[in-house]
Amino acid sequence: MASTVLFYLFAGLAIASAISMVYHKNPLYSAISLIGVFVALSCIYVSLAAPFIAAVQILIYAGAIMVLVVFVIMLLNLDEDKPLNRLRYLYFVGGGLGLILLVQTFFVFYAVMRAPNHAADQTKMVGRTLDLGSAMYSQYLLPVEIVGVLLLMAIIGAVILVRRLSQPQLELVIEHELEQEHRKR
Amino acid sequence: MEPSLASYLALSGILFTIGATGVIFKRNAIGMFMCIELMLNAVNLTFVAFSRYYGDVTGQLFVFMVMSVAAAEAAVGLGIIIAFFRNRLSIDVDDASLMKN
């Protein structure tokens, strides 16, 4: 009983925060609403017996990604979002897409409700850090390695993108570095 | 009594719908970026719910992968936004029209 009440509480919080994120024109308010969604989802993960994922959700999403987003919003000193006046037909596209997705959600809800056996397996406990870690470094080693390489590529790409040098300047820097290395020898 | 699998899937579907509509309604790039994050989170919720109801660890593992990809996307996406702002002094996606005409 208590878990049902908590689920509806946090589900309502998540949906309300998500709607407020889309509604607000100021990007900073949107970012803070999105942090609300992440925290509510993290509480739902705890109720789904996944404590590790809940902790990682707070650490990575609310802690790292949103700090980066808020930092960029502050850095660029953005003003408020202007209304869609040039592309007015987008309102209809967005409304239609939302309607279709909601109908689809309703069908999924209906189908799963009608399925015969959907009680959670209470005896198995899979959300512990030990279970995740041992699966990660034995059975799923290759995807973990690929994700590691992807993160490295993303970091290098981000540094290159934001660097304030043009191509000729970059070539000069590389030449200079090569020269220095040559002198050391 | 625990909430059924269907209620988790419904919550996830509603969050995904809000994110998908937000991508179309928002005009600045950072707003669209945040809506994409919201959609990724909705998918993560289905992974964790199925992982709970089938007693399988794979779902939670893939949530971890999705989070790593989201972090990589944040780094590169925000880098692109900053580079775009330097050239155009705005992050309105309508101003990204250099290849038009």
Side-chain angles (χ1 to χ4, degrees):
Chain A
M1 192 61 220
S3 65
T4 313
V5 172
L6 282 178
F7 170 74
Y8 283 113
L9 180 68
F10 288 122
L13 194 65
I15 293 172
S17 302
I19 290 175
S20 123
M21 182 199 88
V22 176
Y23 174 76
H24 275 300
K25 302 277 182 223
N26 190 331
L28 197 57
Y29 293 164
S30 295
I32 289 166
S33 310
L34 190 58
I35 293 174
V37 179
F38 291 154
V39 172
L41 279 181
S42 158
C43 297
I44 289 177
Y45 292 156
V46 171
S47 79
L48 277 169
F52 177 72
I53 295 296
V56 167
Q57 167 94 0
I58 295 284
L59 283 177
I60 294 186
Y61 271 118
I65 295 182
M66 288 321 286
V67 166
L68 205 61
V69 169
V70 170
F71 184 78
V72 169
I73 292 172
M74 298 278 190
L75 184 73
L76 301 186
N77 194 16
L78 299 169
D79 44 350
E80 300 207 339
D81 212 1
K82 285 163 282 178
L84 286 168
N85 43 13
R86 228 182 320 164
L87 300 171
R88 196 171 281 277
Y89 69 93
L90 276 183
Y91 279 123
F92 298 104
V93 175
L97 181 70
L99 211 65
I100 292 169
L101 283 173
L102 271 185
V103 169
Q104 204 174 355
T105 304
F106 176 75
F107 274 118
V108 169
F109 182 75
Y110 184 67
V112 176
M113 280 301 264
R114 276 188 46 183
N117 180 18
H118 52 259
D121 192 353
Q122 300 282 357
T123 51
K124 270 190 195 169
M125 178 75 189
V126 293
R128 290 173 307 174
T129 314
L130 175 66
D131 303 322
L132 266 163
S134 57
M136 199 183 278
Y137 290 108
S138 58
Q139 195 183 353
Y140 295 100
L141 187 60
L142 182 64
V144 171
E145 294 289 336
I146 291 172
V147 162
V149 174
L150 175 78
L151 281 172
L152 181 66
M153 279 160 56
I155 290 169
I156 295 172
V159 170
I160 297 285
L161 265 175
V162 185
R163 220 165 154 179
R164 205 187 266 275
L165 291 175
S166 61
Q167 192 61 37
Q169 281 173 317
L170 265 179
E171 277 165 15
L172 274 180
V173 168
I174 291 167
E175 269 176 27
H176 183 71
E177 280 169 4
L178 282 178
E179 221 170 72
Q180 275 192 337
E181 242 178 53
H182 208 69
R183 262 184 217 156
K184 268 183 202 166
R185 286 177 196 169
Chain B
M1 193 202 136
E2 229 178 322
S4 68
L5 178 58
S7 38
Y8 289 106
L9 294 185
L11 171 61
S12 161
I14 292 168
L15 287 180
F16 191 91
T17 310
I18 296 171
T21 8
V23 168
I24 292 178
F25 283 160
K26 286 270 178 188
R27 290 230 329 210
N28 64 33
I30 288 188
M32 294 172 90
F33 172 82
M34 288 192 285
C35 290
I36 293 171
E37 297 288 334
L38 182 62
M39 288 197 282
L40 286 174
N41 265 279
V43 176
N44 281 352
L45 180 61
T46 59
F47 271 132
V48 176
F50 277 123
S51 158
R52 166 78 174 145
Y53 279 84
Y54 288 100
D56 192 348
V57 76
T58 314
Q60 296 190 14
L61 225 128
F62 270 83
V63 170
F64 196 70
M65 307 280 167
V66 170
M67 281 179 183
S68 312
V69 172
E73 180 216 327
V76 175
L78 291 173
I80 290 173
I81 290 173
I82 289 179
F84 179 63
F85 185 82
R86 259 189 214 144
N87 289 325
R88 290 293 169 107
L89 290 180
S90 119
I91 56 161
D92 197 329
V93 284
D94 284 355
D95 289 336
S97 56
L98 201 64
M99 288 175 75
K100 207 173 174 181
N101 302 324

